[in-house]
Amino acid sequence: MSSLPTPSTPLRAARLSLANLPTPVEPHPAILDALGLGDRGIALWIKRDDATGGPEAGNKIRKLEFLLAEAKALGATTLVTCGGIQSNHCRATAGLAARLGLGAHLLLRTTDPELDVAKVPPTGNLFLSRLLGASVRLITPADYRRRNDLMRELADALVQRGERPYVIPEGGSNAVGSFGYVAAAEELATQIGAGAAGGAPFDVFVHACGSGGTAAGLAVGARRSAVATRVIAMAVCDDRATFEARVEAIVGEMKAKEPGLERIDAFEVDDRAKGPAYAVPTDEQRALVVQVARASGIVLDPVYTGKAFAGLVARAKRGELDGQRVLFWHTGGLPGLLAQSTELTPFL
Ligand SMILES: *Cc1c(COP(=O)(O)O)cnc(C)c1O
């Protein structure tokens, strides 16, 4: 029935099989009904990348399938990466390191001046990363700005101790990691070809954007696998210009590694739903997380997916999605939600 083109050239990059794939593609009309948007002719589907794994679930495992294949090929014994104190990426890295018998060293950003891991709340992702055996060092926001230097210095120190470190950038967002979302688009094409989601491509993808790798991968993958005509990356921090430049840089790196890849023309960063600060949502966004959960069983998070979904709802309310087939990529984040349960409780 469907005549989606199969990508002619397979990705050359090596990949480990670590995630539970393919993730389901589900219709969720009840969410739009609950929000009073049921009469807009919008077909809302959700790609369940919150179900890519157990403790490593979320979007980062797709990137790590490619990054850790490279790490293994280089003979790495330990991983070095960085993120916010409640980093989903660091937690996924810690989990996969334990699974593959590698070490994991995490540089985590905190505003707590003591920089003592024993003194910050042992919740959510931080707790899981420690449970999974990662070695955690807290750093200030000022030091985080020179995170790449700090990771390089840590890697040099590890070499002195006889380790072979593999450094993964923030969010796993370089060309190698972003191939994970080129592959995700290919996975979706196979699902659609088998009749999923009505057997037709989407008008638009919407997803949360925090370090740019998912956006770069989907913007390239949407074109390569012809699964969407438009990609909207909802920024959860920073601004549109910052992410446009970041995504363009990653796409450039990807093209250098895999000739023939091109980004879709209709790619856009929307920074209007980013809320007051990184990891801080508006009250309206907190209330939306509760509404969506109760209407559908889909649990969003206050740092990424709750903001991105709020951006989708804002566009729907303005009539910009009328009559369209929309795929929301649920990128995970459950531990980050649990770490904010106190802030969410007034909205229950
Ligand atoms: C990291 C993350 C994102 C953003 O993905 P990037 O590739 O870093 O832009 C979105 N959602 C969740 C839950 C994440 O952990």
Side-chain angles (χ1 to χ4, degrees), residues 96-114:
L96 296 175
R99 181 158 151 195
L100 297 176
L102 301 169
H105 293 261
L106 310 177
L107 297 181
L108 300 182
R109 181 188 63 231
T110 177
T111 49
D112 189 312
E114 291 200 68

Side-chain angles (χ1 to χ4, degrees), residues 59-60 63 88 171 173 208-214 301 304-305 331-333:
N59 62 340
K60 300 310 179 308
K63 302 178 186 180
N88 293 304
S173 286
C209 177
S211 64
T214 302
D301 77 291
Y304 293 98
T305 55
T331 43

